[in-house]
C-alpha cells in the first residue's frame, strides 16, 4: 500500500489510494477515532455504479452512524467482505486491512493532499 503521506483525502475524512483507474477507499484513523468502536459497515454491492458526492454506505459505531460518500464516480469493483464479520478492523487498521471498497473510475476529482488534510483536522 501507498504511504499515508502519499494518499489523497476528502473533506468527509476518507482516504483514496488511486492507481491505474482503480481507487481503494477507506476512512481515516481520525474519522475512525471520532466514530468510536465500529460495530457495522454497510457498503454498496460489487457492480454498483456510484456518483461522486453521493452517500454510498454507512459506518455504525457505538456512538453514532456516519455516512460514506463516493469520492468519485465509477463502478464498485470490490468491497471488503471481511468487515461483515469484523467491523472493528476499521478502528484497528484504518489505512490497511480496514479498507472499505474499490471503485473503477474514469476521472479522478481534485482531492486533498496529506498536509491539506492534516490542516482540516486541526480546525
Amino acid at each position: 500500500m501507498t504511504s499515508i503521506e502519499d494518499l489523497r483525502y476528502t473533506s468527509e475524512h476518507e482516504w483514496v489510494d488511486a492507481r491505474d483507474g482503480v481507487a481503494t477507499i477507506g476512512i481515516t484513523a481520525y474519522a475512525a477515532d471520532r466514530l468510536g468502536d465500529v460495530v457495522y459497515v454497510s457498503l454498496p454491492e460489487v457492480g454498483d455504479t456510484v456518483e461522486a458526492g453521493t452517500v454510498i454506505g454507512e459506518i455504525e459505531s457505538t456512538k453514532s452512524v456516519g455516512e460514506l460518500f463516493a469520492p468519485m464516480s465509477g463502478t464498485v469493483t470490490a468491497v471488503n467482505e471481511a468487515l461483515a464479520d469484523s467491523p472493528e478492523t476499521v478502528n484497528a487498521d484504518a489505512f490497511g486491512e480496514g479498507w472499505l471498497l474499490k471503485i473503477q473510475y474514469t476521472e479522478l476529482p481534485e482531492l486533498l493532499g496529506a498536509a491539506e488534510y492534516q490542516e482540516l483536522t486541526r480546525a
Side-chain angles (χ1 to χ4, degrees):
M1 174 156 154
T2 305
S3 76
I4 293 172
E5 291 78 29
D6 293 332
L7 295 173
R8 308 305 287 170
Y9 299 87
T10 71
S11 57
E12 288 82 26
H13 307 289
E14 296 163 358
W15 58 262
V16 176
D17 185 4
R19 299 183 219 190
D20 302 320
V22 177
T24 302
I25 298 150
I27 64 167
T28 64
Y30 175 86
D33 183 55
R34 292 277 189 216
L35 277 170
D37 295 333
V38 174
V39 296
Y40 178 74
V41 178
S42 171
L43 298 170
E45 299 286 326
V46 171
D48 283 357
T49 300
V50 296
E51 187 175 326
T54 61
V55 175
I56 58 170
E58 291 182 337
I59 301 173
E60 188 176 325
S61 74
T62 54
K63 290 200 273 187
S64 66
V65 175
E67 294 179 322
L68 178 65
F69 294 88
M72 74 271 302
S73 298
T75 303
V76 177
T77 60
V79 295
N80 190 344
E81 301 287 348
L83 297 179
D85 293 327
S86 301
E88 67 278 2
T89 306
V90 172
N91 296 106
D93 192 10
F95 291 102
E97 293 299 315
W99 67 275
L100 301 174
L101 71 153
K102 296 182 184 213
I103 297 175
Q104 183 174 10
Y105 61 90
T106 52
E107 187 176 333
L108 190 62
E110 193 68 35
L111 298 168
L112 303 172
E116 293 168 303
Y117 181 72
Q118 286 176 344
E119 283 299 316
L120 177 73
T121 60
R122 286 190 195 117

